[in-house]
Amino acid sequence: MGPFETGGTVLVAALVMIFLRAPVGLALGLAAFAGAFALLPATAAISLMSRVPYEFTASWEFAAVPLFLAMGTIITRSGMADGLIILAERSLRRLPGGLAIATNFAGAGFGAASGSSLATTVALGRMAIPQMLRAGYNPGLATATTACAGTLAALIPPSIPLIVYGILAEVSVAKLFFAGIVPGLLTAFAYGAMIYLRCRFNPDLAPRSETESDETVGWSVAAFPVIAIVILGGIYGGYFSPSEAGSVGALAAIALAFCQPGFNWRELALALAEAARQTAAILFVAAGAFMLTRTMALTGLPNALADLVQTWSVSPLLLILASSVLFLLLGMVLDPFGVMLLSVAVLLPAFERLGFDLIWMGIIIVKFIEIGLVTPPVGLNVFAAKSVAPPEIGLTVIFRGVSWFLLAEAVVMAILFLFPALTLWLPNNLL
Amino acid sequence: MNRIGRWATQAGQWLAVAALVAMMVHLGADILLRNIAARPLDGTLEVVAGLYMPFVVFAALSATHLNREEIRVDLVGNFLPQTAVMLLDRAAQLLMAICAAALAWLTASHAMRAFDIGQRIEAGSLVIPLWPGKAIVTTGFVLLAVAALVRLFGKADNGSV
């Protein structure tokens, strides 16, 4: 069998197992092992695969994952996000769709202190969805805003997907963090503009509220910009690396959380246990994908694909458009990490060969992951929004509401494709 | 086995939390000492990579599995009858138990070898043994196999630890 047949068989086997409800990490690892077993002597294949679990996780760079996840879970459990939503609501409620716009920007702010899209959606949704529904907002708009605002955490640093991409693609995580800022803010503004225009032309979607909220905004709302500035400033100033920044963020989150009413040692222990479990879930998949990357290298498929792209003189634009369609299709049926890790394993050499900047490519891939989080049938953020919405709001209503956000995403993606400098200016000039 | 499995899984989860706290504090102290007193702690990178990280990931792995928090795609679940979904889930648990047990067996030899030859990293004044980090990988896979068996033979409940 040639590289396309062997590599293709391994990939198809992994996808079939994933569709048959096997855990993604298990499916990727098992397919990788079977591939290695077919290509190498049995002892070599066993030795290769049995070394991966320790060698892969015993990583300095991956330390950022549990630490940033801990920061996010502590902030979520402490209720600090509530103040952020109240502040955003007070500033923006007089605009058409003001509460939804406020939720959207609160999502961007919360993303700066949490690397997890799901955590952001749940934290925002618990407070913002009931508030919007009480104000008479369209249920599709209220829930879709929360689901989509949560996706901003995937780009706005610190971002777990960017850390994992950086390590697997062997590019600077610090550069990726800075590269994510402009696309993240651009997406937040595009969402905000779309909500504003929809509600301006169809006021029934979001009746204007004249009553002021009487809830007080605690000082804790300042925590979000402070944590973001400390993390990015520390990395930029060379005081600590992205991995160490996670520890600074988590310790700062603990200190701020204990100043919140109701936060105690038990809550801290539960938040840390949640972060440890999430870390295990993410790195189990990443380890499976790493095994797959090694097997793919043995089959020669990624290089054969890169050769083919070069031989056929495929234009960079065509490659990126074809990949985009692939990412969108895979994002609809696979979990976001699966899409990213498979694309790194198979497509990265072709992108490299055609001279794509891997930092820009990382942002584009994570943007597609973000879109995959809200597209049916596997839209994890939509499920998260559903879990905190009233039970009478069905998934169809949320997915219908999300379709408007996808239009905004199409505009943002076109801008990012046409002007890569928007993404690369900050990392190239600051680092 | 159900009760022992759940207890062991919970113990593993709190061991992971202890490693996470140790990593957080250790890194915080190193950053502080490096930037204020220009005296970084010896071997921080090696301890974080070689000890804390394997403990955080592998000690918590079975709790993730028992809590059904593993990353999985639920696509066919909406289209297949309930019995077929249940059979697929049980097959996935059986496969997971077999693979985890096999990985526990294979990684155990690395841990034992590291212990026998006293494999270690020297970083400044610090000597870091590698066997605990390798042993937790094996332990993590043993616990994962147990968690998969608990789910295989248990009720189709939420199984939280």
Side-chain angles (χ1 to χ4, degrees):
Chain A
M1 281 208 282
F4 280 101
E5 288 82 4
T6 319
T9 310
V10 170
L11 281 180
V12 169
L15 287 174
V16 167
M17 279 190 277
I18 288 170
F19 288 140
L20 292 178
R21 293 169 67 87
V24 175
L26 174 71
L28 297 180
L30 203 58
F33 178 69
F37 206 74
L39 293 164
L40 296 172
T43 47
I46 289 170
S47 164
L48 181 73
M49 293 298 160
S50 67
R51 282 201 307 267
V52 168
Y54 177 79
E55 285 176 5
F56 182 72
T57 47
S59 148
W60 166 253
E61 287 81 9
F62 270 133
V65 174
L67 294 167
F68 279 127
L69 283 172
M71 183 175 83
T73 52
I74 291 163
I75 287 177
T76 307
R77 279 186 172 268
S78 71
M80 275 191 255
D82 297 357
L84 194 65
I85 296 170
I86 296 168
L87 182 72
E89 180 217 316
R90 284 213 183 137
S91 324
L92 299 165
R93 70 179 302 132
R94 295 199 183 279
L95 291 175
L99 278 178
I101 298 174
T103 305
N104 169 53
F105 283 108
F110 193 72
S114 163
S116 161
S117 294
L118 290 178
T120 305
T121 301
V122 171
L124 287 177
R126 270 200 292 245
M127 185 168 179
I129 292 176
Q131 209 170 19
M132 283 189 270
L133 294 177
R134 267 200 309 273
Y137 274 50
N138 174 284
L141 174 66
T143 46
T145 301
T146 312
C148 293
T151 65
L152 297 171
L155 270 180
I156 293 177
S159 151
I160 303 297
L162 285 179
I163 296 169
V164 176
Y165 171 85
I167 294 166
L168 291 180
E170 294 176 357
V171 293
S172 158
V173 173
K175 281 195 168 190
L176 284 166
F177 275 6
F178 280 93
I181 295 175
V182 173
L185 292 177
L186 187 66
T187 310
F189 278 101
Y191 284 172
M194 184 275 297
I195 297 168
Y196 175 84
L197 289 174
R198 274 190 79 197
C199 297
R200 190 176 164 81
F201 290 112
N202 184 4
D204 291 346
L205 282 174
R208 282 200 198 208
S209 166
E210 297 304 326
T211 53
E212 282 286 337
S213 160
D214 55 358
E215 289 175 275
T216 50
V217 179
W219 58 267
S220 68
V221 78
F224 294 89
V226 167
I227 287 178
I229 290 167
V230 166
I231 288 172
L232 290 175
I235 294 172
Y236 172 62
Y239 295 107
F240 40 75
S241 67
S243 303
E244 294 169 322
S247 130
V248 175
L251 289 170
I254 292 174
L256 293 166
F258 271 112
C259 301
Q260 287 288 107
F263 192 84
N264 51 32
W265 290 103
R266 187 177 177 274
E267 286 295 319
L268 176 64
L270 291 175
L272 293 174
E274 196 180 329
R277 292 198 308 271
Q278 287 174 359
T279 305
I282 291 172
L283 290 196
F284 187 60
V285 175
F290 182 70
M291 287 184 183
L292 193 73
T293 310
R294 285 194 168 183
T295 303
M296 282 292 129
L298 286 173
T299 66
L301 176 67
N303 278 331
L305 204 63
D307 288 344
L308 199 69
V309 165
Q310 211 166 28
T311 316
W312 286 359
S313 304
V314 175
S315 76
L317 183 67
L318 189 67
L319 179 68
I320 198 82
L321 288 177
S323 311
S324 303
V325 174
L326 186 72
F327 288 144
L328 278 176
L329 291 176
L330 283 176
M332 288 172 141
V333 291
L334 266 181
D335 82 290
F337 269 105
V339 179
M340 183 174 79
L341 299 170
L342 276 176
S343 59
V344 170
V346 181
L347 293 173
L348 221 55
F351 288 130
E352 240 177 327
R353 197 78 67 88
L354 284 188
F356 282 102
D357 187 303
L358 292 187
I359 298 285
W360 177 76
M361 206 56 235
I363 298 299
I364 295 295
I365 292 176
V366 171
K367 274 297 293 176
F368 278 115
I369 282 188
E370 199 188 82
I371 294 170
L373 284 168
V374 289
T375 48
V378 188
L380 296 181
N381 265 33
V382 171
F383 299 151
K386 167 93 180 94
S387 72
V388 286
E392 63 272 16
I393 299 177
L395 280 174
T396 326
V397 173
I398 311 179
F399 277 125
R400 213 178 294 143
V402 161
S403 58
W404 289 92
F405 288 85
L406 295 179
L407 282 179
E409 283 288 5
V411 174
V412 173
M413 289 308 286
I415 293 172
L416 294 181
F417 279 143
L418 292 172
F419 307 105
L422 271 179
T423 306
L424 296 173
W425 188 85
L426 261 183
N428 287 347
N429 283 284
L430 288 182
L431 298 173
Chain B
M1 190 179 77
N2 199 330
R3 267 175 61 191
I4 296 171
R6 284 177 193 279
W7 180 86
T9 292
Q10 202 160 27
Q13 174 180 282
W14 294 117
L15 189 61
V17 169
L20 181 54
V21 172
M23 178 160 74
M24 209 184 285
V25 174
H26 191 149
L27 280 172
D30 182 55
I31 294 166
L32 215 61
L33 287 169
R34 195 176 61 219
N35 286 297
I36 292 174
R39 292 187 62 180
L41 293 172
D42 280 345
T44 298
L45 190 148
E46 289 78 5
V47 175
V48 166
L51 281 180
Y52 297 145
M53 277 307 289
F55 271 85
V56 171
V57 176
F58 286 97
L61 194 56
S62 60
T64 306
H65 196 71
L66 210 52
N67 270 343
R68 294 168 191 255
E69 289 172 340
E70 78 275 18
I71 298 176
R72 201 168 62 153
V73 175
D74 189 11
L75 188 63
V76 294
N78 300 325
F79 307 106
L80 291 177
Q82 200 61 37
T83 324
V85 172
M86 201 190 72
L87 282 174
L88 280 177
D89 282 352
R90 302 259 153 147
Q93 294 316 317
L94 182 64
L95 200 59
M96 178 62 100
I98 293 169
C99 290
L103 278 165
W105 174 258
L106 291 171
T107 54
S109 62
H110 296 296
M112 283 193 286
R113 190 174 145 73
F115 182 79
D116 286 343
I117 64 171
Q119 211 175 20
R120 59 185 188 265
I121 299 176
E122 288 177 22
S125 58
L126 209 66
V127 177
I128 303 143
L130 287 184
W131 70 264
K134 294 192 173 187
I136 193 66
V137 175
T138 305
T139 314
F141 280 125
V142 170
L143 289 177
L144 179 61
V146 172
L149 289 176
V150 168
R151 275 178 64 174
L152 175 65
F153 295 112
K155 280 186 263 174
D157 59 3
N158 66 10
S160 318
V161 284

